[in-house]
């Protein structure tokens, strides 16, 4: 009877040891999996940060180009306005010269 109890005890201890090893292995596997996942998340995050920084750099560059383009367009608008003013002034000068020539011809014709 005592031998039977010792055998049961030995068997139980062996089963507990096997169970402990199995649980430890499962836990270790899960911990290793979590660490691998965390490493992948960290690598993905680094790539995302790098991509975001590159996008920011490109966005700033595009913004500067758009501002320069806008300034150039305003300059063209100023040139167009100046050309219109000059055209109006030249038209007035031309009309004035025509009037002077006409009056001069009239005065010469009456003499």
């Amino acid at each position: 009877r005592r031998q039977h109890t010792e055998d049961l005890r030995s068997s139980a201890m062996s089963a507990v040891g096997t169970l402990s090893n199995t649980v430890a292995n499962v836990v270790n596997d899960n911990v290793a999996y979590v660490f691998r996942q965390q490493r992948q998340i960290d690598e993905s995050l680094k790539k995302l940060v790098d991509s975001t920084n590159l996008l920011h750099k490109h966005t700033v560059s595009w913004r500067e180009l758009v501002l320069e383009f806008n300034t150039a367009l305003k300059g063209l608008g100023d040139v167009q306005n100046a050309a219109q003013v000059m055209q109006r002034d030249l038209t007035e000068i031309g009309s004035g010269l025509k009037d002077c020539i006409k009056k001069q011809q009239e005065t010469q014709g009456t003499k």
Side-chain angles (χ1 to χ4, degrees):
R1 181 154 166 96
R2 183 173 187 175
Q3 181 63 35
H4 180 64
T5 304
E6 281 298 317
D7 288 343
L8 286 176
R9 182 176 178 202
S10 177
S11 179
M13 290 297 283
S14 178
V16 167
T18 302
L19 177 63
S20 293
N21 286 337
T22 302
V23 169
N25 288 337
V26 168
V27 168
N28 286 338
D29 288 346
N30 287 338
V31 168
Y33 173 77
V34 167
F35 278 119
R36 282 193 307 273
Q37 291 298 102
Q38 183 62 44
R39 191 175 324 116
Q40 288 177 349
I41 289 170
D42 290 343
E43 290 170 3
S44 295
L45 180 62
K46 184 183 179 323
K47 288 177 184 176
L48 180 61
V49 167
D50 291 344
S51 295
T52 302
N53 288 337
L54 184 61
L55 176 63
H56 179 264
K57 180 181 174 182
H58 287 297
T59 302
V60 168
S61 178
W62 273 99
R63 181 182 179 273
E64 289 171 1
L65 286 173
V66 168
L67 289 175
E68 288 174 16
F69 182 70
N70 192 33
T71 301
L73 284 178
K74 286 180 183 177
L76 286 177
D78 292 343
V79 168
Q80 182 181 8
N81 185 43
Q84 288 172 345
V85 168
M86 281 191 245
Q87 183 180 10
R88 189 174 46 241
D89 289 347
L90 289 174
T91 302
E92 288 177 11
I93 290 170
S95 294
L97 287 174
K98 283 180 185 177
D99 289 344
C100 286
I101 291 171
K102 188 177 178 183
K103 286 182 184 180
Q104 188 179 23
Q105 287 173 349
E106 287 173 1
T107 3
Q108 287 177 354
T110 57
K111 287 185 177 179

